[in-house]
């Protein structure tokens, strides 16, 4: 079976992890702050805050922006449920903005219309989370401008997009947002096994996120209610969580980040080869904004089912049976049973639903060989034509 994604673990990675396992620190040592600096430097951000998952980092980012009861968070329907769940964690209400049918990202036109309506009804969101689907940045120039006009804070969910660029800048520089969050899950571009990092240019937001991922605790005398009792002293000044990343995860991440550029280049080369090889079969290939350089976390095709003569499920099962580990990213969040209790229903976000009805993620990973890619192509052609 050729998987849709696969991590790459080298001897350097193993050595980095072994060094931690034989050191004095398995957690709360020097590797985590080093990893935070490595990621922040790579994306030209001033500050990085590591967490045990991208979900934790998203939650901490929402907390840092003060999201709470009575507030609204907006994101897109075609994302993993975590992008929306973090709003519920904070006690906020959640709504969605439909996607652009070509980029699969938040549609700026739909966002503009929805923001105008929300202003009239007094229900503007406090936080907006555009998701950089498949590794291609959303149109952050337009989204950021709209957010600024309506006074909305922005968190970029760049779980797919470490190593991506938009308008000549690395995703994560936060040119049009307050915070950007990356994922280091095993199928992402680089991995820490599980983990996430939030980056920002704002020192105060970084400090709030650091407290949020470590129990709300501070050792900063300037934030304490009275003078320190001694060098051991700390104070919990707000509610936080145990979202800390371990030294083992950070060491793996530091090692992996040295290969980020190479991994993105390999993925892009495979994507270009797919573009050429699949142009004559009954599928719609992923479209790229000329301002964007995707990190190519996923390569998503959309089936022209009326030409293929098979159902979506039949195609999926046939490809799996033929040895391709295809997948589907994602089931629209608003159609999930948990979210239906909030009044969402089928038909609310037609572009996301249309995408789901035809989408399949085909294998793409940095260490995929040309022979594996050619097998994917030949299997798709045999199945769909």
């Amino acid at each position: 079976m050729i998987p849709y994604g696969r991590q790459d673990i080298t001897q350097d990675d193993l050595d980095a992890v072994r060094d931690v396992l034989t050191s004095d620190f398995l957690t709360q040592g020097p590797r985590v702050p080093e990893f935070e600096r490595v990621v922040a430097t790579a994306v030209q951000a001033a500050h990085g805050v590591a967490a045990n998952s991208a979900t934790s980092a998203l939650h901490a980012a929402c907390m840092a922006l003060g999201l709470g009861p009575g507030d609204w968070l907006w994101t897109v329907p075609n994302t993993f449920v975590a992008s929306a769940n973090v709003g519920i964690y904070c006690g906020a209400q959640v709504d969605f903005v439909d996607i652009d049918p070509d980029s699969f990202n938040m549609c700026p036109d739909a966002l503009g219309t929805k923001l105008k309506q929300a202003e009239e009804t007094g229900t503007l969101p406090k936080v907006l989370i555009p998701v950089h689907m498949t590794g291609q940045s959303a149109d952050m120039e337009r989204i950021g401008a709209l957010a600024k006009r309506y006074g909305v804070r922005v968190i970029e969910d760049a779980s797919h997009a470490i190593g991506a660029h938009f308008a000549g800048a690395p995703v994560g520089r936060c040119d049009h947002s307050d915070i950007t969050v990356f994922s280091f899950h095993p199928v992402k571009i680089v991995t820490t096994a599980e983990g996430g990092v939030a980056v920002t240019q704002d020192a105060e937001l970084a400090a709030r996120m650091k407290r949020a991922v470590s129990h709300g605790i501070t050792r900063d005398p300037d934030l304490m209610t009275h003078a320190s009792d001694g060098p051991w002293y700390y104070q919990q000044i707000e509610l936080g969580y145990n979202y800390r990343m371990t030294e083992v995860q950070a060491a793996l991440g530091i090692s992996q980040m040295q290969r980020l550029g190479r991994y993105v280049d390999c993925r892009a080369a495979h994507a270009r080869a797919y573009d050429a090889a699949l142009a004559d079969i009954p599928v719609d290939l992923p479209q790229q904004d000329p301002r964007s350089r995707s990190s190519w976390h996923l390569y998503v095709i959309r089936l022209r089912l009326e030409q293929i003569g098979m159902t979506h499920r039949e195609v999926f099962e046939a490809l799996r049976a033929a040895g391709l580990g295809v997948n589907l990213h994602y089931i629209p969040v608003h159609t999930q049973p948990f979210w239906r209790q909030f009044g969402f229903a089928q038909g609310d976000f037609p572009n996301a639903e249309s995408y789901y009805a035809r989408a399949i993620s085909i294998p793409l990973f940095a260490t995929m060989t040309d022979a594996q890619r050619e097998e994917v192509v030949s299997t798709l052609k045999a199945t769909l034509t």
Side-chain angles (χ1 to χ4, degrees):
M1 179 78 73
I2 302 174
Y4 84 88
R6 172 182 286 162
Q7 71 271 16
D8 176 44
I9 302 298
T10 68
Q11 188 61 49
D12 286 343
D13 298 335
L14 296 173
D15 291 343
V17 169
R18 183 187 59 204
D19 288 347
V20 169
L21 292 174
T22 57
S23 75
D24 292 332
F25 295 96
L26 296 185
T27 188
Q28 293 180 275
R31 296 316 200 285
V32 170
E34 182 183 353
F35 180 52
E36 292 170 336
R37 288 192 296 272
V38 166
V39 174
T41 299
V43 301
Q44 300 176 15
H47 309 279
V49 178
N52 57 13
S53 71
T55 303
S56 299
L58 279 172
H59 186 194
C62 289
M63 292 171 66
L65 293 175
L67 185 72
D71 295 327
W72 283 90
L73 178 148
W74 291 2
T75 188
V76 289
N78 67 319
T79 183
F80 188 58
V81 294
S83 306
N85 286 350
V86 292
I88 304 298
Y89 297 165
C90 292
Q93 295 174 273
V94 175
D95 202 353
F96 302 94
V97 180
D98 210 352
I99 62 169
D100 174 85
D102 293 321
S103 71
F104 319 147
N105 286 323
M106 182 177 286
C107 176
D109 291 334
L111 175 63
T113 299
K114 197 176 184 89
L115 285 170
K116 183 178 179 181
Q117 294 170 344
E119 183 179 46
E120 293 170 353
T121 59
T123 56
L124 281 169
K126 185 167 191 173
V127 171
L128 183 70
I129 302 184
V131 178
H132 301 327
M133 182 68 176
T134 75
Q136 178 176 206
S137 174
D139 187 344
M140 292 308 301
E141 288 181 345
R142 290 185 64 192
I143 290 171
L146 285 165
K148 185 175 181 180
R149 182 190 309 172
Y150 288 96
V152 179
R153 310 300 291 271
V154 179
I155 302 169
E156 297 178 62
D157 184 342
S159 293
H160 295 185
I162 187 78
H165 286 69
F166 178 76
V171 169
R173 199 168 76 177
C174 299
D175 289 351
H176 308 286
S177 65
D178 298 282
I179 299 167
T180 301
V181 172
F182 298 108
S183 171
F184 298 94
H185 183 275
V187 297
K188 300 303 197 304
I189 314 301
V190 298
T191 188
T192 58
E194 275 282 9
V197 171
V199 295
T200 182
Q201 305 293 7
D202 188 310
E204 178 57 30
L205 288 179
R208 292 177 193 170
M209 289 190 289
K210 281 185 178 293
R211 293 195 297 271
V213 302
S214 191
H215 304 283
I217 284 173
T218 184
R219 295 181 184 272
D220 183 350
D222 292 337
L223 298 178
M224 294 183 182
T225 58
H226 58 76
S228 171
D229 292 348
W232 65 85
Y233 194 65
Y234 59 84
Q235 284 188 350
Q236 182 187 355
I237 60 173
E238 57 201 358
L239 181 64
Y241 297 83
N242 185 2
Y243 284 167
R244 292 190 300 253
M245 175 178 279
T246 68
E247 289 287 281
V248 175
Q249 291 171 294
L252 177 57
I254 293 164
S255 180
Q256 290 258 317
M257 282 293 292
Q258 309 313 307
R259 305 193 294 278
L260 173 62
R262 188 196 322 164
Y263 284 162
V264 172
D265 288 345
C266 288
R267 288 171 175 270
H270 284 306
R272 288 193 297 270
Y274 273 148
D275 286 347
L278 301 176
D280 59 349
I281 67 172
V283 300
D284 293 318
L285 303 179
Q287 302 299 303
Q288 296 298 297
D289 185 324
R291 296 167 296 170
S292 178
R293 193 178 84 195
S294 178
S295 60
W296 288 107
H297 166 53
L298 299 171
Y299 191 97
V300 177
I301 60 174
R302 287 168 295 165
L303 306 172
R304 298 177 188 168
L305 295 169
E306 66 284 356
Q307 297 179 35
I308 296 169
M310 300 168 67
T311 67
H312 192 193
R313 179 170 180 168
E314 286 170 343
V315 171
F316 190 96
E317 291 178 342
L319 294 174
R320 281 280 182 96
L324 301 191
V326 294
N327 213 328
L328 206 166
H329 304 87
Y330 293 97
I331 305 167
V333 177
H334 70 284
T335 66
Q336 296 286 356
F338 174 81
W339 287 95
R340 287 183 180 270
Q341 69 179 302
F342 299 107
F344 296 110
Q346 202 78 27
D348 285 349
F349 304 99
N351 288 347
E353 293 169 26
S354 176
Y355 163 87
Y356 170 64
R358 300 194 294 128
I360 289 181
S361 300
I362 65 174
L364 178 66
F365 46 96
T367 57
M368 185 166 67
T369 65
D370 290 349
Q372 286 175 316
R373 188 191 65 243
E374 289 164 5
E375 182 178 344
V376 173
V377 170
S378 63
T379 302
L380 283 168
K381 290 184 174 181
T383 304
L384 303 180
T385 59

